[in-house]
Structure formats: C-alpha cells, structure tokens
Amino acid sequence: MSPEVKPDSLLNAEGLRFDGRRVDELRPIQMEVGVLKTADGSASIRQGKTYILAAVYGPRELHPRHLTLNDRAYLRVVYRMATFSVPDRKRPAPSRREREISMVIANALQPVLFLEQYPKAVIDVFIQVIQADGGTRCAAINAASLALADAGIPMRSLVPSVAVGKAEGTLIVDLGDEEDKYGQGDVPLAILPGTNELTLLQQDGSFTREELMEAMQMGVNACKYLHELQKDALKRSYSKKTPEGVDEELDDYEDDLETDLGEADIMEDE
Ligand code: CDP
C-alpha cells in the first residue's frame, strides 16, 4: 500500500489546484449506461479515480412486507463501499456512514420519481463504490439517476450532483480525496436541472453566508454541465439499440420531462 502523502499546499501561486485543475474545473468524468445485463437498469461513473456502479431492480414485489407503502413505491437505496475501495481495508459490515449516505441519496432522488404509480412495490437502487477518491455520494447520485432512467422508471428529470469545497480560503468544485481530507470543508449538493431546486444540500466545515451562496452557485453551474454528460450517456446507450432518429427523440423526451418538475425536498445536514 502506498503511504498517504499530505500535499504541502492545495493551491499553488497561480491559483491552480494540487492536481493542476482550475478552481471551477471538474475531474475527468465518464458515464456509461446499461453496463450490467442482469439488472433492469444500470450505470457506471468514473470521476477522477472515483469509480462507482449503480444497479436498479423493479418496480417489484417488496420483501419484507411490513415495509410496504400503500400509496406509493418504496425507494430502497443501498450505498456500499467495497472492502478494497480505499487503501485501508474497509470493514465489510455496513457502517453508519454508509447508512446515512444511502438515506441522503434516496432523499435526493425521490422528488423526480413518480412513486405513486407503483403502490406497494419496491424500486431497489444498489450502489457499489469500487474505488473511492472523494465525492462518492455525489457521483453515486449521478450514476443512480442514470440507472433509474435506464430501468424505464418514470422520472421528471435526471439528478446531477457535485460537491463544492474550500481550500486555503478559496472555493473549489468537485473535491478529490486529498482536498476532502485536508481542505476546510465541503458542500455536496444535487439539483433538479429544470428549476435549480436542491434535493441534496449538506455541509461539512465552516463557510460564511457569502461563501455558502457562492458555493451553491458554483455547484449549480457544475451540475448543469454534469446534466449534459448524463444526457449524452443516455443517448449513447440508446443509439446503440436504435440506429435512427434517436437523438432527436431523446432531446424531445428530456424537454418534456423538464417542463413538469415537482416540489423538491431540501435537505440540510450539519
Ligand atoms: O465520498 P464522499 O466525499 O461523498 O464522502 P465522505 O464521507 O466525505 O468521504 C470522503 C472520502 O473519504 C471518500 O470518497 C473516500 O475517498 C474516503 N473514505 C475512506 O478513505 N475510507 C472510508 N471508510 C470512508 C471514506
């Protein structure tokens, strides 16, 4: 195992970051849809060194039955990190952190889903972090919303997500692991791209009111870009299946989805 090295500085004299990025630059991102053949829907995301798979099953019969909701489907999200996803072996038992992240991801996705169309059923979203290098909850939301779309679950829109943080007094977008560990804090957020409503907003570390407002604006801008990448990934997967006219159809479909956005839950966490 390579020993962890704390960088001398997270920002250099030219204002570039530890890994050479500008403050508002995301890591290289690749998203792919339909990567698992047994799942009803699936997607993968590579964001820098973070690598995540998401699989969706359902709507299907819910077990155990006591969890049944009579008026809507139960959205069951399970976020897990593989034991080999971090340099220190992660204990295989589900941690409190994994349970909390599963819950915030479910809350971030729920506002776009028409769960009332499937009373008593369950929609299972399994998220496996293969390699963790910061920003896993946000990357997981990006992949999970693609997997839900791939499964044909009725949705108002995709949900893009990113974290904005602070290092040496400067706001930076899409933190890598070193920036997460040695920076001054981070604000993961997710939005509904049609209305900019927040479906995830957490904060770690201290930010002034002005910093928080600016961080949210930077996050929203980054989410717009991520949303384009999500749409491209979805189009690519369908282009493989149907050769003609699919791009135009998908553009129309996305436009229709975004004209009818519902209320979003805004989550805040200390
Ligand atoms: O991944 P995210 O930023 O959403 O969540 P976090 O709780 O702020 O964790 C930040 C990073 O710490 C993760 O992405 C991992 O790279 C690392 N981590 C770790 O090394 N070992 C753990 N058991 C949990 C997280």
Side-chain angles (χ1 to χ4, degrees):
M1 187 181 85
S2 55
E4 187 178 281
V5 184
K6 182 179 175 188
D8 294 336
S9 166
L10 292 173
L11 282 172
N12 70 17
E14 286 86 49
L16 293 177
R17 292 156 70 175
F18 169 65
D19 58 4
R21 281 186 288 157
R22 297 184 311 275
V23 291
D24 60 351
E25 189 174 341
L26 291 132
R27 292 174 286 178
I29 299 170
Q30 288 170 350
M31 302 186 202
E32 208 176 325
V33 174
V35 293
L36 302 171
K37 295 305 161 216
T38 52
D40 294 322
S42 61
S44 67
I45 183 166
R46 289 177 190 273
Q47 191 154 345
K49 286 181 273 176
T50 289
Y51 177 34
I52 296 176
L53 292 176
V56 169
Y57 286 86
R60 63 182 178 180
E61 203 175 324
L62 172 56
H63 298 285
R65 285 194 191 280
H66 69 86
L67 295 174
T68 301
L69 303 170
N70 286 326
D71 59 343
R72 62 185 189 279
Y74 177 50
L75 177 66
R76 182 161 54 190
V77 175
V78 179
Y79 160 104
R80 291 276 183 275
M81 283 179 41
T83 50
F84 55 82
S85 63
V86 283
D88 295 329
R89 174 181 175 274
K90 195 220 141 253
R91 292 173 63 161
S95 64
R96 261 190 61 182
R97 174 181 170 277
E98 286 169 306
R99 282 200 292 272
E100 184 222 307
I101 293 181
S102 300
M103 184 195 75
V104 298
I105 292 174
N107 286 334
L109 296 170
Q110 201 144 314
V112 298
L113 299 172
F114 294 94
L115 296 177
E116 64 283 0
Q117 291 188 9
Y118 304 103
K120 299 184 178 178
V122 64
I123 297 170
D124 276 311
V125 180
F126 300 109
I127 295 160
Q128 189 68 35
V129 178
I130 308 294
Q131 189 162 271
D133 191 49
T136 60
R137 76 194 63 201
C138 297
I141 291 169
N142 293 325
S145 62
L146 278 176
L148 284 160
D150 185 42
I153 309 289
M155 297 166 79
R156 295 183 171 91
S157 79
L158 296 163
V159 183
S161 177
V162 76
V164 181
K166 186 166 68 167
E168 291 154 36
T170 301
L171 295 175
I172 51 176
V173 175
D174 186 24
L175 313 186
D177 193 40
E178 294 85 357
E179 293 172 328
D180 190 278
K181 283 204 179 86
Y182 306 117
Q184 294 164 288
D186 73 321
V187 178
L189 57 87
I191 67 163
L192 304 186
T195 60
N196 294 350
E197 285 170 282
L198 296 166
T199 68
L200 167 75
L201 181 62
Q202 297 186 289
Q203 183 187 327
D204 184 16
S206 75
F207 290 77
T208 64
R209 186 184 161 80
E210 290 69 33
E211 283 172 339
L212 194 56
M213 297 308 288
E214 197 186 334
M216 283 198 275
Q217 191 54 57
M218 289 169 88
V220 168
N221 294 343
C223 281
K224 299 276 178 193
Y225 173 70
L226 284 158
H227 184 223
E228 294 303 317
L229 297 185
Q230 287 178 310
K231 287 194 286 185
D232 285 348
L234 210 48
K235 283 181 198 171
R236 276 198 311 278
S237 90
Y238 283 91
S239 310
K240 279 183 219 154
K241 290 173 195 158
T242 39
E244 278 170 41
V246 73
D247 282 7
E248 294 75 22
E249 274 174 37
L250 266 158
D251 278 339
D252 292 347
Y253 176 64
E254 264 286 326
D255 291 345
D256 288 350
L257 284 177
E258 281 161 20
T259 51
D260 185 29
L261 292 166
E263 283 283 291
D265 291 339
I266 295 183
M267 286 216 43
E268 273 196 63
D269 204 350
E270 288 304 301

